[in-house]
Amino acid sequence: MPEPWASRLVLEGGGKVLVDERDLWPGKQYTTTVLLVRSEFLQQHPERALALLRGHLAATKWLQDNPGPARTQVNAAIEQLTGKPIGQAVIDRAFPSLNFTTDPQMASLAKCAGDAEALGLLKLEGLDLTHLYDPTLLHKLQP
């Protein structure tokens, strides 16, 4: 289960961790969320796409550099969106399991797509995932 649900299951439901998914991936890195825009949007609104990417880079850097305040602000946002915060013990257990990065881990995304196809959840026939991600703008904005 992704966080914070894995931590909730352990702390609130008495669950036990049998396998840490990070152990199944090279370098313990895999993607769970990727920021994407449609090619058409990028072509029609390049400055908006750049602004979105700049915001993503700044937010990711802030999350990396400020784990304590990040926990507080993330939980406040969860409370605002859902009407109820996540318990502090859950947040404290979940955050060290998260890796906020601007690296989309495309190899793991391709593997996840292949696994989903093998399970019958996704049809990749005719799809070329190699064009899903173009790092040009990301590399342009990173130091």
Side-chain angles (χ1 to χ4, degrees), residues 35-54 131-138 140-141:
L35 175 64
L36 297 171
V37 297
R38 290 180 322 149
S39 296
E40 181 182 0
F41 179 87
L42 180 58
Q43 291 167 358
Q44 292 176 356
H45 308 283
E47 287 308 313
R48 284 183 173 178
L50 280 168
L52 177 63
L53 189 52
R54 281 187 195 100
H131 300 293
L132 181 64
Y133 171 67
D134 178 355
T136 304
L137 288 180
L138 178 64
K140 179 179 175 180
L141 294 177

Side-chain angles (χ1 to χ4, degrees), residues 22-70:
R22 293 174 293 183
D23 294 336
L24 303 175
W25 295 93
K28 297 184 177 252
Q29 299 290 312
Y30 62 100
T31 194
T32 57
T33 307
V34 178
L35 175 64
L36 297 171
V37 297
R38 290 180 322 149
S39 296
E40 181 182 0
F41 179 87
L42 180 58
Q43 291 167 358
Q44 292 176 356
H45 308 283
E47 287 308 313
R48 284 183 173 178
L50 280 168
L52 177 63
L53 189 52
R54 281 187 195 100
H56 174 65
L57 290 168
T60 301
K61 175 101 173 86
W62 186 85
L63 286 163
Q64 292 168 337
D65 294 346
N66 300 281

Side-chain angles (χ1 to χ4, degrees), residues 58-118:
T60 301
K61 175 101 173 86
W62 186 85
L63 286 163
Q64 292 168 337
D65 294 346
N66 300 281
R71 293 175 191 195
T72 302
Q73 286 197 16
V74 165
N75 207 13
I78 289 170
E79 181 177 16
Q80 182 179 3
L81 291 168
T82 67
K84 184 176 179 183
I86 292 176
Q88 191 61 48
V90 172
I91 290 288
D92 290 343
R93 185 184 185 284
F95 252 73
S97 298
L98 301 172
N99 180 32
F100 299 102
T101 179
T102 57
D103 181 346
Q105 300 291 325
M106 289 308 293
S108 75
L109 186 61
K111 182 180 181 328
C112 285
D115 292 348
E117 182 178 43

